[in-house]
Amino acid sequence: MRETQYYDGYRVIAVDPDVITLGSVVTVRLDNGYEFEAIALDTGGGIDGREIDVLTADRDSAMQFGRQTVQIKINGEGAD
């Protein structure tokens, strides 16, 4: 998943598959009201429980995005 932050037009997120099924399409809403659609395609190294990791282009982008509290709406669940 390191090669891209998008898949089929969706932002890629890492999730705990016990909470959000891999392949699920979700809407992520940031505290500032900005929303984007994402797809759960990765499990990440340290994702546990109700956390997600939004893939970014590079480390600087990740640092700028930082840790945030977000709201998640599951639009369609993926296949197990």
Side-chain angles (χ1 to χ4, degrees):
M1 299 292 6
R2 293 182 189 276
E3 303 304 317
T4 183
Q5 62 193 32
Y6 292 93
Y7 176 81
D8 241 6
Y10 297 106
R11 289 292 299 263
V12 174
I13 58 173
V15 299
D16 180 336
D18 290 334
V19 178
I20 298 176
T21 305
L22 288 174
S24 295
V25 174
V26 303
T27 299
V28 179
R29 185 173 201 270
L30 307 180
D31 277 342
N32 66 6
Y34 178 75
E35 293 182 347
F36 60 89
E37 288 193 309
I39 188 165
L41 291 181
D42 194 5
T43 56
I47 305 301
D48 186 33
R50 296 173 56 118
E51 299 175 343
I52 66 167
D53 188 5
V54 178
L55 272 65
T56 58
D58 52 42
R59 187 177 193 287
D60 288 340
S61 297
M63 297 304 286
Q64 184 176 9
F65 189 82
R67 287 184 179 253
Q68 301 184 33
T69 300
V70 300
Q71 294 177 354
I72 301 289
K73 175 184 167 196
I74 298 175
N75 300 328
E77 289 202 34
D80 244 340

